[in-house]
Amino acid sequence: MASIARTVRPLARGVVSAARPPARSSCLRPRGALSRRFSVLGPAQEKKYTKEHEWVELSPDGTIGTIGITAHAAYALGDIVYVELPALQAVLKAGDTLGAVESVKSASDIITPVSGTVVERNDVLEERPGVLNQGPEAEGWIVRVRVEDRAEVEGLMGKEEYARYAGE
């Protein structure tokens, strides 16, 4: 299959075939037409990392934090076979154990990086814990909490700092 770049040929300037008029692209807008405007949400919050290999990502308004384990942690654990999740509405303080993961190699506590109240759990992990291995920093998120103190997030590592810390 040819690439798009090779199949689209630029028209030579000033050259118009008498036999066939140049084709008009439906994606070109007529002269004088107004451009279409799209609304854009504020910038996404940067994902932050802990030395215990957890991450937190705040919602655009900074009130909800999604928490999970890092790809580094998931790789180190190996095949995850069990995930323990906290109860909904559980009140957690930064540094508390919010759950646990067990793998064929070991078991490990999940430490919450921020204080807050659990508002959502990723229940898929109880039925299919391997999702954590497949996408630990995406569909393998663990809980969402209503963040009490956004300043706690500021003390955590950014992506590059965490990569240096983890030796990646």
Side-chain angles (χ1 to χ4, degrees):
M1 178 183 284
S3 70
I4 293 174
R6 291 195 341 224
T7 58
V8 176
R9 295 184 184 157
L11 293 175
R13 286 196 175 151
V15 177
V16 177
S17 169
R20 185 172 55 163
R24 288 198 63 135
S25 171
S26 62
C27 65
L28 296 176
R29 61 185 158 104
R31 291 183 197 262
L34 297 174
S35 63
R36 191 170 190 176
R37 306 256 186 236
F38 294 95
S39 64
V40 178
L41 295 175
Q45 300 283 333
E46 180 186 11
K47 194 177 281 187
K48 297 288 193 160
Y49 300 85
T50 70
K51 291 183 178 184
E52 292 79 23
H53 305 287
E54 285 88 19
W55 56 266
V56 62
E57 185 173 39
L58 294 180
S59 61
D61 66 359
T63 60
I64 303 296
T66 303
I67 298 172
I69 65 169
T70 65
H72 178 82
Y75 177 77
L77 285 166
D79 292 334
I80 296 171
V81 295
Y82 176 76
V83 178
E84 179 186 333
L85 300 173
L88 280 174
Q89 302 304 316
V91 177
L92 304 168
K93 295 291 177 199
D96 285 353
T97 299
L98 71 84
V101 292
E102 291 181 17
S103 71
V104 294
K105 292 181 182 180
S106 66
S108 182
D109 288 334
I110 305 165
I111 308 299
T112 183
V114 294
S115 301
T117 303
V118 176
V119 294
E120 189 177 355
R121 308 166 1 133
N122 191 353
D123 291 328
V124 169
L125 298 177
E126 290 184 329
E127 296 172 22
R128 296 183 15 236
V131 170
L132 261 176
N133 292 111
Q134 296 164 2
E137 296 191 39
E139 67 274 359
W141 60 274
I142 295 170
V143 294
R144 292 197 170 112
V145 299
R146 184 172 318 328
V147 177
E148 284 181 15
D149 185 4
R150 290 174 57 180
E152 291 174 335
V153 176
E154 298 307 315
L156 302 175
M157 295 181 275
K159 184 176 184 174
E160 290 176 6
E161 186 180 355
Y162 176 74
R164 282 192 303 273
Y165 172 79
E168 294 177 353

